């Protein structure tokens, strides 16, 4: 077994565990503020090599590599890293610090039993989490389908339809129009804000390309608007803003809207559009204001727009509540998994019956 530990660029610490050149698990320790966040990724690519900025550890023959692996997932391991982490421009945790970490060390027989126990128990928990995450994906797909159906077909299932001439829209009610957004909106990029002017708390939300990112004391937008992620892999994200906010230069936002179009209805139309698919796919994906304005959308009478908004507010809130509850269940399962690992590696659970190779 090998433990490979590294100070990595942009504030990331990586622990790389390799077992018999066949199964590899990457643990990313990302430092933000005073916290270290842990993510685990498993890959199986055979032999591997490691760079010069890594530190290599080998378990001796008296210790079970998988037990040490589970120890590295326990709160004991996590807390010791936080206490000894060297804070600088790049977070650093060197080999000597790892070598001086304190860990519970039962006999090899017990280490093997604990590893087998955790293999079985965590696999069950992971399956439950995967099922719930799949359910969230299905609910999100249902949410998107409800939005698309409402903004393109309306709420009356018996209405007569006509061809819109636009592929993503399909047929629309006969009384509806289709038109380019350029005739209905003004849109611009947000404004730069320095790190010195943002905080974790404050009166004014700071909205970036992916939504809320921090708080500040001054707003650059004091009206209802729609913020659209402008750059990055997730550009095209759409956020309805109905409160004073600071919208950053990583987002576009609508500054003017003709009275023929309801702002919240347009929000749902842009949700249905999935603007990310139209982004300029370069090294840095980009959505421009001209691209947004070039989109052709369905435009029902303003009264119908209001009815559609009221309907979607209710339907999407119902789905969002279910998703939030499932996410809470997932969080509890992850906490239980973490607790189980801690209890097992510290000898608080009887697991000797699992010592079968």
């Amino acid at each position: 077994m090998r433990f490979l530990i590294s100070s990595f660029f942009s504030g990331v610490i990586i622990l790389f565990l390799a077992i018999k050149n066949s199964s590899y698990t990457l643990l990313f320790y990302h430092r933000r503020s005073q916290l270290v966040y842990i993510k685990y990724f498993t890959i199986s690519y055979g032999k591997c090599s490691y760079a010069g900025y890594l530190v290599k550890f080998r378990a001796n023959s008296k210790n079970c590599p998988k037990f040490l692996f589970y120890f590295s997932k326990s709160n004991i391991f996590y807390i010791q890293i936080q206490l000894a982490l060297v804070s600088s421009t790049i977070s650093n945790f060197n080999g000597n610090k790892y070598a001086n970490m304190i860990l519970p060390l039962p006999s090899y027989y017990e280490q093997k039993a604990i590893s087998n126990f955790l293999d079985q128990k965590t696999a069950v928990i992971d399956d439950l989490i995967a099922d719930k995450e799949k359910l969230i994906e299905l609910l999100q797909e249902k949410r998107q389908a409800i939005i698309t159906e409402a903004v393109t077909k309306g709420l009356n299932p018996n209405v007569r339809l006509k061809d819109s001439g636009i592929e993503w829209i399909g047929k629309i009610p006969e009384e509806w129009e289709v038109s380019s957004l350029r005739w209905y909106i003004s849109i611009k990029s947000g404004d730069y804000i320095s790190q010195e002017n943002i905080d974790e708390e404050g009166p004014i939300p700071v909205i970036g390309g992916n939504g809320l990112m921090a708080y500040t004391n001054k707003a650059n937008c004091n009206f209802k608007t729609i913020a659209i992620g402008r750059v990055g892999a997730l550009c095209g994200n759409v956020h309805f803003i109905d409160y004073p906010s600071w919208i950053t230069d990583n987002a576009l936002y609508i500054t003017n809207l003709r009275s023929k179009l309801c702002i919240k209805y347009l929000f749902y139309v842009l949700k249905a559009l999935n603007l990310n698919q139209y982004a300029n796919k370069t090294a840095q994906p980009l959505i421009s204001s001209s691209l947004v304005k070039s989109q052709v959308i369905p435009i029902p009478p303003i009264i119908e727009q209001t009815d559609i908004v009221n309907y979607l507010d209710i339907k999407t809130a119902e789905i969002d509540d279910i998703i939030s509850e499932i996410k809470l269940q997932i969080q509890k399962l992850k906490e239980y998994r973490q607790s189980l690992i801690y209890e097992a590696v510290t000898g608080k659970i009887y697991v000797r019956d699992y010592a079968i190779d």
Side-chain angles (χ1 to χ4, degrees), residues 209-211 226-230 234-239 271 275-276 287:
N210 296 323
I226 298 168
I228 302 168
R230 190 175 68 85
L234 298 178
C235 64
N237 280 348
V238 181
H239 313 279
K271 280 282 192 183
L275 288 169
N276 183 263
I287 285 180

Side-chain angles (χ1 to χ4, degrees), residues 26 48 83 87-88 150 221 240 265 281 306 309 320 323 352:
L26 285 169
C48 69
L83 292 174
S87 299
S88 60
C221 179
F240 181 66
Y265 170 77
K281 303 297 183 181
T306 302
V309 166
D320 290 343
I323 290 175
R352 293 186 180 181

Side-chain angles (χ1 to χ4, degrees), residues 184-231:
Y184 291 89
I185 67 170
S186 297
I187 186 170
K188 60 171 284 189
S189 175
D191 301 307
Y192 171 77
I193 185 169
S194 66
Q195 289 293 319
E196 291 76 16
N197 290 322
I198 65 174
D199 206 338
E200 295 179 0
E201 297 179 353
I204 305 296
V206 176
I207 308 298
N210 296 323
L212 178 65
M213 56 177 288
Y215 293 90
T216 190
N217 294 314
K218 180 181 178 182
N220 66 350
C221 179
N222 291 287
F223 48 83
K224 289 183 180 180
T225 189
I226 298 168
I228 302 168
R230 190 175 68 85
V231 293

Side-chain angles (χ1 to χ4, degrees), residues 254-289:
I254 292 172
T255 58
N256 193 30
L257 186 72
R258 283 182 58 185
S259 60
K260 196 174 180 179
L261 205 54
C262 169
I263 186 80
K264 192 67 178 287
Y265 170 77
L266 178 57
F267 163 74
Y268 281 121
V269 170
L270 294 176
K271 280 282 192 183
L273 254 173
N274 183 22
L275 288 169
N276 183 263
Q277 66 181 311
Y278 302 111
N280 177 18
K281 303 297 183 181
T282 60
Q284 179 75 305
L286 175 70
I287 285 180
S288 65
S289 59

Side-chain angles (χ1 to χ4, degrees), residues 6 12 30 39 60 68 78 109-110 120 129 136 170 186 198 205 210 225 228 261-262 297 303 340 345 350:
S6 165
V12 177
H30 178 62
K39 293 184 179 181
N60 60 38
L68 298 179
Y78 173 82
Y109 176 89
E110 289 178 294
Q120 294 182 36
I129 291 173
I136 288 176
S186 297
I198 65 174
N210 296 323
T225 189
I228 302 168
L261 205 54
C262 169
I297 68 166
I303 294 177
L340 192 68
V345 300
Y350 183 85

